[in-house]
Amino acid sequence: MNPQPLVPDTDPHRLAAAIGGHHLIAGQLVRAASGKTFAVVNPATGREVANAALGDNDDIHRAVSAAARAQIAWAAMPARKRGALVSDCARLLAEHVEELGRLVALETGKALRTESRVEAGVVADALQFYGGLASELKGESVPFNPEMLTVTQREPIGVVGVIIPWNAPMMLMALKIAPALVAGNTVVVKSAEEAPLAVLRVCQILNQKLPAGVLNIVSGFGPECGAPLVAHPQVGKVTFTGSVETGRIVARMAGEKLIPVTLELGGKSPMIVMGDADIDKAVNGAVAGMRFTRQGQSCTAASRILVHDAVHDAFVTALKARVDAMTMGDPLDEATDIGTLISRTQLAKVLDYIESGRAMPGAKALECSALPAQDHLRQGLFVRPVIFTGLDNGCRLAREEIFGPVTCVIRFRSYDEAIAMANDSAYGLAATIWTRDLKTALDATRRLQAGFVQVNQNIVVQPGLSYGGIKQSGLGREASLEAMLEHFTHKKTVIFNMN
Ligand code: ADP
Ligand code: MG
C-alpha cells in the first residue's frame, strides 16, 4: 500500500503531465520496458497534452505476473475484508471526482458538466455497490446424499484481463474491476489508446488502498498490447467492451485458450414513439437516450427513433428545437453541453455516414446547434448533431453503429410495423417504447429483442441492474450481483464422504 496520500489536482494539464508515460504495475508507476511512449491529444484543441507508455508483450507479462503473485493472498482474504477495501476505494475516489472529471474531459473531449464529472461520480458509485456485495459470494448445501455433506462454493477465476474503450473509460472499467476484485480475482487492465490517463489515475488512487499487484493497468494499442493480454497463459478470463469486430477477435483468442469472455459490443438501439406518447417526455428521452451530450458516442445510443405517423412531424420539430438549444464548446467550460468527438478517425467515419445519408433519395438532414467560434477550438473535432428524416430502416445509417451525433427518425404507421422494424437489426442492446397505453407497453417489453428495455424513460446503466446485449451486442451481463457471481467466479462442487 502506498503510504504517501495523493493530493487531488484539478489542473488536468499538470496532472496529465505528471502521470503520463506510465503503466501501473505491482503498485508502482513504471515506464514501458521498451521506453517507448505515444501522444495523448486533446480533441478539443488538437494539442498534445501528455504521453502514455506504449505497452507491449513485455509490459503485459510483467503486469500479469504481478497480478498472479498477488492473487493467492487476495483470494485468501475474507470476502468482507476485500469488500471493505473496495468500499474504502469508493470513498477515496469520491474525493477525486472533480480532478478525474477534468482529466477525462481533457483527453476525450466530453463536456465536464454534462458528461465527464458525472462519469467520475458513477465510478465511485459502482465501487461502493460492489464493495457491499462481498458476503453474497456464497454457495449452497445440496441434498445429494444424507450420509455425505455436499456443498457448492464460489471461487475466483484468478487473473482477469480487462479491455476497455474510450467513450466512458472510467465507468466501463469500474463496472469490470469492482466485481472482479470483490470476487477475489486480481486484474490487469489494458486501457484504450485514445483515453489512457483518467483510468490510470483511477488505478493509482485505488492502489492507495489495495495491496500491490491486485490492480494493474497497462496502456498501448490493441494488437500489440491488448492481444497479448488475452493470449497470456496466466489470464483466466477476459472482459471486453468495444467494437463487434474486435470483440470477435478477442472471443476467438479466448476460444483458443478455452477461457470465458464477457463482451459488451455495439448497438443500434430503437426508441418507439407511439401516437399517444407524451411528446415532451419522449423528446427529452431522445436527447438523453441519443447521448447528444456525448456526441452520440455510446453503445446504447437511441440511434433509431421510430415515430408514429400522427406525431412524426411534431416530434421532429420539437427534437430539433431541443438539440438546437444545446451549446457546443470547450469541454472544460461549465456552459458547454456538447464537446467533441474522440479522434480524427472517428470524425472521418461520422462525416462519411452523414454524407452517405444526405445522398439517399428522400432523406433530409437537419443539422442542429452551432459550432463553437472560439479561436483555440479551431482544430477541435466538433460535429454538429444531425437528425435524419426520410430514411428507410434498411439503409446503412439505420443498420450500422455510427458512434457519432447522428440519429435517424423513421416514420411508422402501425404498432406491429414498429416492432418489426425495431427487431430488424443485427444488434440487441437496448430499446425503449413511449406510450400511455399499458397494454401496448407490456406487449412491447415482451416482443422487443434487447437486453435492456424501458418504458417511457431512457436512463443509462445503473449499478444493481443487469446490463448487456443479445444478438451481435455481446455475451454476458454487467453491473449486477449476478454479473459478479456468474462472470467472475467458478462454482465448485465439494462432497465430503465421511463413511
Ligand atoms: P475502436 O473502434 O474504438 O477502435 P475497438 O473495439 O477496436 O474500438 O477498441 C476497444 C478496445 O479494444 C481498445 O482498448 C483497443 O485497444 C482494444 N483492441 C483493439 N484491437 C485489439 C486486439 N486485436 N486484441 C485485443 N484488444 C484490442
Ligand atoms: Mg480499434
mmCIF file of all heavy atoms in Angstrom, residues 163-166 190-194 220-228 230 240-247 249-250 253 346 349 403, ligand 1:
data_model
loop_
_atom_site.group_PDB
_atom_site.id
_atom_site.type_symbol
_atom_site.label_atom_id
_atom_site.label_comp_id
_atom_site.label_asym_id
_atom_site.label_seq_id
_atom_site.Cartn_x
_atom_site.Cartn_y
_atom_site.Cartn_z
ATOM 1 N N ILE A 163 -10.317 -5.221 -20.921
ATOM 2 C CA ILE A 163 -10.006 -4.372 -22.087
ATOM 3 C C ILE A 163 -11.158 -3.392 -22.278
ATOM 4 O O ILE A 163 -12.323 -3.801 -22.379
ATOM 5 C CB ILE A 163 -9.778 -5.221 -23.349
ATOM 6 C CG1 ILE A 163 -8.595 -6.159 -23.119
ATOM 7 C CG2 ILE A 163 -9.528 -4.323 -24.568
ATOM 8 C CD1 ILE A 163 -8.265 -7.048 -24.302
ATOM 9 N N ILE A 164 -10.828 -2.117 -22.294
ATOM 10 C CA ILE A 164 -11.878 -1.088 -22.285
ATOM 11 C C ILE A 164 -11.731 -0.111 -23.455
ATOM 12 O O ILE A 164 -10.635 0.070 -23.995
ATOM 13 C CB ILE A 164 -11.860 -0.292 -20.955
ATOM 14 C CG1 ILE A 164 -10.434 0.165 -20.606
ATOM 15 C CG2 ILE A 164 -12.455 -1.126 -19.838
ATOM 16 C CD1 ILE A 164 -10.367 1.110 -19.427
ATOM 17 N N PRO A 165 -12.836 0.540 -23.820
ATOM 18 C CA PRO A 165 -12.815 1.554 -24.864
ATOM 19 C C PRO A 165 -12.665 2.953 -24.253
ATOM 20 O O PRO A 165 -12.462 3.090 -23.041
ATOM 21 C CB PRO A 165 -14.187 1.382 -25.498
ATOM 22 C CG PRO A 165 -15.069 1.040 -24.338
ATOM 23 C CD PRO A 165 -14.211 0.294 -23.353
ATOM 24 N N TRP A 166 -12.818 3.964 -25.088
ATOM 25 C CA TRP A 166 -12.530 5.342 -24.676
ATOM 26 C C TRP A 166 -13.779 6.160 -24.366
ATOM 27 O O TRP A 166 -13.677 7.273 -23.888
ATOM 28 C CB TRP A 166 -11.751 6.048 -25.801
ATOM 29 C CG TRP A 166 -12.350 5.762 -27.156
ATOM 30 C CD1 TRP A 166 -11.924 4.809 -28.045
ATOM 31 C CD2 TRP A 166 -13.513 6.372 -27.747
ATOM 32 N NE1 TRP A 166 -12.745 4.792 -29.147
ATOM 33 C CE2 TRP A 166 -13.730 5.741 -28.998
ATOM 34 C CE3 TRP A 166 -14.386 7.389 -27.356
ATOM 35 C CZ2 TRP A 166 -14.786 6.094 -29.852
ATOM 36 C CZ3 TRP A 166 -15.441 7.719 -28.206
ATOM 37 C CH2 TRP A 166 -15.625 7.075 -29.435
ATOM 38 N N LYS A 190 -6.107 -3.188 -19.767
ATOM 39 C CA LYS A 190 -5.471 -2.575 -20.947
ATOM 40 C C LYS A 190 -6.387 -1.417 -21.326
ATOM 41 O O LYS A 190 -7.517 -1.606 -21.732
ATOM 42 C CB LYS A 190 -5.380 -3.592 -22.086
ATOM 43 C CG LYS A 190 -4.288 -3.312 -23.103
ATOM 44 C CD LYS A 190 -4.449 -2.029 -23.889
ATOM 45 C CE LYS A 190 -5.376 -2.185 -25.069
ATOM 46 N NZ LYS A 190 -5.621 -0.878 -25.753
ATOM 47 N N SER A 191 -5.866 -0.188 -21.165
ATOM 48 C CA SER A 191 -6.705 0.983 -21.441
ATOM 49 C C SER A 191 -6.805 1.229 -22.944
ATOM 50 O O SER A 191 -6.057 0.662 -23.733
ATOM 51 C CB SER A 191 -6.125 2.211 -20.732
ATOM 52 O OG SER A 191 -4.778 2.413 -21.099
ATOM 53 N N ALA A 192 -7.748 2.077 -23.318
ATOM 54 C CA ALA A 192 -7.907 2.431 -24.731
ATOM 55 C C ALA A 192 -6.842 3.453 -25.106
ATOM 56 O O ALA A 192 -6.547 4.371 -24.341
ATOM 57 C CB ALA A 192 -9.297 3.000 -24.974
ATOM 58 N N GLU A 193 -6.297 3.314 -26.284
ATOM 59 C CA GLU A 193 -5.186 4.192 -26.707
ATOM 60 C C GLU A 193 -5.603 5.658 -26.766
ATOM 61 O O GLU A 193 -4.790 6.555 -26.597
ATOM 62 C CB GLU A 193 -4.618 3.734 -28.052
ATOM 63 C CG GLU A 193 -5.617 3.424 -29.147
ATOM 64 C CD GLU A 193 -6.095 1.968 -29.151
ATOM 65 O OE1 GLU A 193 -6.343 1.395 -28.057
ATOM 66 O OE2 GLU A 193 -6.235 1.413 -30.267
ATOM 67 N N GLU A 194 -6.899 5.926 -26.968
ATOM 68 C CA GLU A 194 -7.370 7.309 -27.069
ATOM 69 C C GLU A 194 -7.551 7.954 -25.700
ATOM 70 O O GLU A 194 -7.614 9.179 -25.602
ATOM 71 C CB GLU A 194 -8.713 7.362 -27.805
ATOM 72 C CG GLU A 194 -8.679 6.881 -29.249
ATOM 73 C CD GLU A 194 -8.864 5.372 -29.384
ATOM 74 O OE1 GLU A 194 -8.818 4.641 -28.371
ATOM 75 O OE2 GLU A 194 -9.045 4.918 -30.535
ATOM 76 N N GLY A 220 -1.568 1.066 -24.234
ATOM 77 C CA GLY A 220 -0.977 0.674 -25.506
ATOM 78 C C GLY A 220 -2.057 0.389 -26.524
ATOM 79 O O GLY A 220 -3.242 0.607 -26.243
ATOM 80 N N PHE A 221 -1.650 -0.120 -27.670
ATOM 81 C CA PHE A 221 -2.592 -0.350 -28.764
ATOM 82 C C PHE A 221 -3.121 -1.785 -28.751
ATOM 83 O O PHE A 221 -2.547 -2.644 -28.084
ATOM 84 C CB PHE A 221 -1.918 -0.003 -30.093
ATOM 85 C CG PHE A 221 -1.720 1.479 -30.252
ATOM 86 C CD1 PHE A 221 -0.703 2.147 -29.576
ATOM 87 C CD2 PHE A 221 -2.589 2.219 -31.046
ATOM 88 C CE1 PHE A 221 -0.542 3.515 -29.699
ATOM 89 C CE2 PHE A 221 -2.434 3.584 -31.172
ATOM 90 C CZ PHE A 221 -1.406 4.242 -30.503
ATOM 91 N N GLY A 222 -4.208 -1.993 -29.486
ATOM 92 C CA GLY A 222 -4.911 -3.276 -29.437
ATOM 93 C C GLY A 222 -4.069 -4.489 -29.788
ATOM 94 O O GLY A 222 -3.850 -5.368 -28.954
ATOM 95 N N PRO A 223 -3.598 -4.557 -31.030
ATOM 96 C CA PRO A 223 -2.878 -5.776 -31.426
ATOM 97 C C PRO A 223 -1.583 -5.990 -30.643
ATOM 98 O O PRO A 223 -1.229 -7.127 -30.342
ATOM 99 C CB PRO A 223 -2.570 -5.530 -32.911
ATOM 100 C CG PRO A 223 -3.583 -4.517 -33.352
ATOM 101 C CD PRO A 223 -3.863 -3.658 -32.155
ATOM 102 N N GLU A 224 -0.883 -4.909 -30.271
ATOM 103 C CA GLU A 224 0.423 -5.055 -29.625
ATOM 104 C C GLU A 224 0.314 -5.251 -28.120
ATOM 105 O O GLU A 224 1.219 -5.782 -27.490
ATOM 106 C CB GLU A 224 1.294 -3.808 -29.874
ATOM 107 C CG GLU A 224 1.642 -3.559 -31.340
ATOM 108 C CD GLU A 224 0.510 -2.916 -32.124
ATOM 109 O OE1 GLU A 224 -0.456 -2.422 -31.485
ATOM 110 O OE2 GLU A 224 0.554 -2.926 -33.369
ATOM 111 N N CYS A 225 -0.779 -4.789 -27.514
ATOM 112 C CA CYS A 225 -0.856 -4.777 -26.055
ATOM 113 C C CYS A 225 -2.129 -5.477 -25.553
ATOM 114 O O CYS A 225 -2.091 -6.178 -24.546
ATOM 115 C CB CYS A 225 -0.813 -3.313 -25.600
ATOM 116 S SG CYS A 225 -0.660 -3.082 -23.848
ATOM 117 N N GLY A 226 -3.240 -5.312 -26.273
ATOM 118 C CA GLY A 226 -4.482 -5.985 -25.874
ATOM 119 C C GLY A 226 -4.422 -7.468 -26.180
ATOM 120 O O GLY A 226 -4.749 -8.318 -25.336
ATOM 121 N N ALA A 227 -3.970 -7.800 -27.386
ATOM 122 C CA ALA A 227 -3.923 -9.212 -27.792
ATOM 123 C C ALA A 227 -3.030 -10.050 -26.863
ATOM 124 O O ALA A 227 -3.440 -11.135 -26.440
ATOM 125 C CB ALA A 227 -3.501 -9.327 -29.261
ATOM 126 N N PRO A 228 -1.820 -9.579 -26.506
ATOM 127 C CA PRO A 228 -1.005 -10.385 -25.577
ATOM 128 C C PRO A 228 -1.667 -10.590 -24.213
ATOM 129 O O PRO A 228 -1.417 -11.599 -23.554
ATOM 130 C CB PRO A 228 0.289 -9.568 -25.415
ATOM 131 C CG PRO A 228 0.336 -8.642 -26.555
ATOM 132 C CD PRO A 228 -1.067 -8.417 -27.026
ATOM 133 N N VAL A 230 -4.951 -11.013 -23.740
ATOM 134 C CA VAL A 230 -5.922 -12.107 -23.940
ATOM 135 C C VAL A 230 -5.187 -13.438 -24.050
ATOM 136 O O VAL A 230 -5.621 -14.460 -23.515
ATOM 137 C CB VAL A 230 -6.776 -11.860 -25.213
ATOM 138 C CG1 VAL A 230 -7.828 -12.954 -25.371
ATOM 139 C CG2 VAL A 230 -7.436 -10.484 -25.172
ATOM 140 N N PHE A 240 -14.430 -7.569 -21.981
ATOM 141 C CA PHE A 240 -14.121 -6.621 -23.055
ATOM 142 C C PHE A 240 -15.322 -5.746 -23.349
ATOM 143 O O PHE A 240 -16.453 -6.238 -23.431
ATOM 144 C CB PHE A 240 -13.744 -7.433 -24.305
ATOM 145 C CG PHE A 240 -13.634 -6.613 -25.568
ATOM 146 C CD1 PHE A 240 -12.443 -5.988 -25.909
ATOM 147 C CD2 PHE A 240 -14.724 -6.448 -26.419
ATOM 148 C CE1 PHE A 240 -12.333 -5.221 -27.073
ATOM 149 C CE2 PHE A 240 -14.624 -5.685 -27.582
ATOM 150 C CZ PHE A 240 -13.423 -5.066 -27.908
ATOM 151 N N THR A 241 -15.094 -4.462 -23.540
ATOM 152 C CA THR A 241 -16.103 -3.585 -24.131
ATOM 153 C C THR A 241 -15.468 -2.893 -25.320
ATOM 154 O O THR A 241 -14.370 -2.341 -25.205
ATOM 155 C CB THR A 241 -16.631 -2.548 -23.123
ATOM 156 O OG1 THR A 241 -17.265 -3.238 -22.039
ATOM 157 C CG2 THR A 241 -17.658 -1.622 -23.762
ATOM 158 N N GLY A 242 -16.145 -2.930 -26.457
ATOM 159 C CA GLY A 242 -15.605 -2.295 -27.654
ATOM 160 C C GLY A 242 -16.432 -2.664 -28.869
ATOM 161 O O GLY A 242 -17.618 -2.985 -28.755
ATOM 162 N N SER A 243 -15.777 -2.661 -30.022
ATOM 163 C CA SER A 243 -16.495 -2.893 -31.277
ATOM 164 C C SER A 243 -16.771 -4.380 -31.492
ATOM 165 O O SER A 243 -16.095 -5.245 -30.929
ATOM 166 C CB SER A 243 -15.661 -2.356 -32.435
ATOM 167 O OG SER A 243 -14.444 -3.075 -32.505
ATOM 168 N N VAL A 244 -17.739 -4.669 -32.337
ATOM 169 C CA VAL A 244 -18.076 -6.054 -32.669
ATOM 170 C C VAL A 244 -16.878 -6.741 -33.315
ATOM 171 O O VAL A 244 -16.533 -7.885 -32.987
ATOM 172 C CB VAL A 244 -19.282 -6.090 -33.643
ATOM 173 C CG1 VAL A 244 -19.556 -7.521 -34.098
ATOM 174 C CG2 VAL A 244 -20.516 -5.503 -32.985
ATOM 175 N N GLU A 245 -16.237 -5.997 -34.200
ATOM 176 C CA GLU A 245 -15.094 -6.533 -34.943
ATOM 177 C C GLU A 245 -13.982 -6.996 -33.978
ATOM 178 O O GLU A 245 -13.495 -8.125 -34.080
ATOM 179 C CB GLU A 245 -14.604 -5.370 -35.810
ATOM 180 C CG GLU A 245 -13.603 -5.668 -36.842
ATOM 181 C CD GLU A 245 -13.078 -4.340 -37.447
ATOM 182 O OE1 GLU A 245 -13.298 -3.249 -36.862
ATOM 183 O OE2 GLU A 245 -12.450 -4.427 -38.498
ATOM 184 N N THR A 246 -13.606 -6.140 -33.051
ATOM 185 C CA THR A 246 -12.551 -6.508 -32.106
ATOM 186 C C THR A 246 -13.058 -7.553 -31.116
ATOM 187 O O THR A 246 -12.318 -8.454 -30.722
ATOM 188 C CB THR A 246 -12.020 -5.262 -31.368
ATOM 189 O OG1 THR A 246 -11.611 -4.307 -32.347
ATOM 190 C CG2 THR A 246 -10.836 -5.586 -30.493
ATOM 191 N N GLY A 247 -14.339 -7.462 -30.756
ATOM 192 C CA GLY A 247 -14.933 -8.452 -29.861
ATOM 193 C C GLY A 247 -14.798 -9.856 -30.423
ATOM 194 O O GLY A 247 -14.507 -10.812 -29.699
ATOM 195 N N ILE A 249 -12.434 -10.881 -32.456
ATOM 196 C CA ILE A 249 -11.018 -11.278 -32.361
ATOM 197 C C ILE A 249 -10.717 -11.762 -30.938
ATOM 198 O O ILE A 249 -10.102 -12.806 -30.733
ATOM 199 C CB ILE A 249 -10.093 -10.082 -32.727
ATOM 200 C CG1 ILE A 249 -10.328 -9.661 -34.167
ATOM 201 C CG2 ILE A 249 -8.632 -10.417 -32.458
ATOM 202 C CD1 ILE A 249 -9.557 -8.397 -34.584
ATOM 203 N N VAL A 250 -11.199 -11.003 -29.966
ATOM 204 C CA VAL A 250 -10.959 -11.358 -28.563
ATOM 205 C C VAL A 250 -11.601 -12.706 -28.244
ATOM 206 O O VAL A 250 -10.985 -13.581 -27.618
ATOM 207 C CB VAL A 250 -11.487 -10.231 -27.639
ATOM 208 C CG1 VAL A 250 -11.534 -10.682 -26.187
ATOM 209 C CG2 VAL A 250 -10.620 -8.972 -27.786
ATOM 210 N N MET A 253 -9.611 -15.573 -29.739
ATOM 211 C CA MET A 253 -8.387 -15.891 -28.992
ATOM 212 C C MET A 253 -8.722 -16.578 -27.673
ATOM 213 O O MET A 253 -8.034 -17.517 -27.257
ATOM 214 C CB MET A 253 -7.600 -14.608 -28.696
ATOM 215 C CG MET A 253 -7.048 -13.950 -29.945
ATOM 216 S SD MET A 253 -6.240 -12.384 -29.533
ATOM 217 C CE MET A 253 -4.791 -12.994 -28.753
ATOM 218 N N GLN A 346 -12.512 8.768 -35.997
ATOM 219 C CA GLN A 346 -13.958 8.750 -35.757
ATOM 220 C C GLN A 346 -14.635 9.881 -36.515
ATOM 221 O O GLN A 346 -15.739 9.712 -37.047
ATOM 222 C CB GLN A 346 -14.254 8.881 -34.258
ATOM 223 C CG GLN A 346 -14.113 7.598 -33.485
ATOM 224 C CD GLN A 346 -15.036 6.501 -33.993
ATOM 225 O OE1 GLN A 346 -14.573 5.460 -34.442
ATOM 226 N NE2 GLN A 346 -16.343 6.727 -33.963
ATOM 227 N N LYS A 349 -15.122 8.921 -40.073
ATOM 228 C CA LYS A 349 -16.147 7.891 -40.182
ATOM 229 C C LYS A 349 -17.551 8.515 -40.068
ATOM 230 O O LYS A 349 -18.443 8.221 -40.867
ATOM 231 C CB LYS A 349 -15.912 6.869 -39.050
ATOM 232 C CG LYS A 349 -16.589 5.549 -39.227
ATOM 233 C CD LYS A 349 -16.266 4.605 -38.063
ATOM 234 C CE LYS A 349 -17.550 3.926 -37.637
ATOM 235 N NZ LYS A 349 -17.465 3.222 -36.360
ATOM 236 N N PHE A 403 -21.740 5.739 -33.932
ATOM 237 C CA PHE A 403 -20.942 6.244 -32.813
ATOM 238 C C PHE A 403 -20.613 7.719 -33.004
ATOM 239 O O PHE A 403 -19.477 8.160 -32.849
ATOM 240 C CB PHE A 403 -19.668 5.408 -32.629
ATOM 241 C CG PHE A 403 -19.514 4.887 -31.225
ATOM 242 C CD1 PHE A 403 -20.402 3.955 -30.727
ATOM 243 C CD2 PHE A 403 -18.508 5.352 -30.394
ATOM 244 C CE1 PHE A 403 -20.278 3.478 -29.425
ATOM 245 C CE2 PHE A 403 -18.374 4.892 -29.094
ATOM 246 C CZ PHE A 403 -19.269 3.949 -28.614
HETATM 247 P P1 ADP B 1 -12.475 1.306 -31.603
HETATM 248 O O1 ADP B 1 -13.463 1.243 -32.675
HETATM 249 O O2 ADP B 1 -12.652 2.435 -30.669
HETATM 250 O O3 ADP B 1 -11.063 1.168 -32.085
HETATM 251 P P2 ADP B 1 -12.061 -1.306 -30.516
HETATM 252 O O4 ADP B 1 -13.062 -2.361 -30.255
HETATM 253 O O5 ADP B 1 -11.094 -1.559 -31.608
HETATM 254 O O6 ADP B 1 -12.832 0.027 -30.738
HETATM 255 O O7 ADP B 1 -11.253 -0.992 -29.184
HETATM 256 C C1 ADP B 1 -11.688 -1.303 -27.884
HETATM 257 C C2 ADP B 1 -10.502 -1.790 -27.072
HETATM 258 O O8 ADP B 1 -10.008 -2.990 -27.666
HETATM 259 C C3 ADP B 1 -9.313 -0.817 -27.062
HETATM 260 O O9 ADP B 1 -8.717 -0.853 -25.782
HETATM 261 C C4 ADP B 1 -8.395 -1.413 -28.101
HETATM 262 O O10 ADP B 1 -7.041 -1.079 -27.918
HETATM 263 C C5 ADP B 1 -8.605 -2.893 -27.875
HETATM 264 N N1 ADP B 1 -8.222 -3.727 -29.020
HETATM 265 C C6 ADP B 1 -8.201 -3.406 -30.330
HETATM 266 N N2 ADP B 1 -7.766 -4.431 -31.082
HETATM 267 C C7 ADP B 1 -7.488 -5.446 -30.230
HETATM 268 C C8 ADP B 1 -6.996 -6.786 -30.381
HETATM 269 N N3 ADP B 1 -6.695 -7.286 -31.565
HETATM 270 N N4 ADP B 1 -6.851 -7.538 -29.270
HETATM 271 C C9 ADP B 1 -7.161 -7.051 -28.055
HETATM 272 N N5 ADP B 1 -7.622 -5.809 -27.851
HETATM 273 C C10 ADP B 1 -7.781 -4.999 -28.911
#
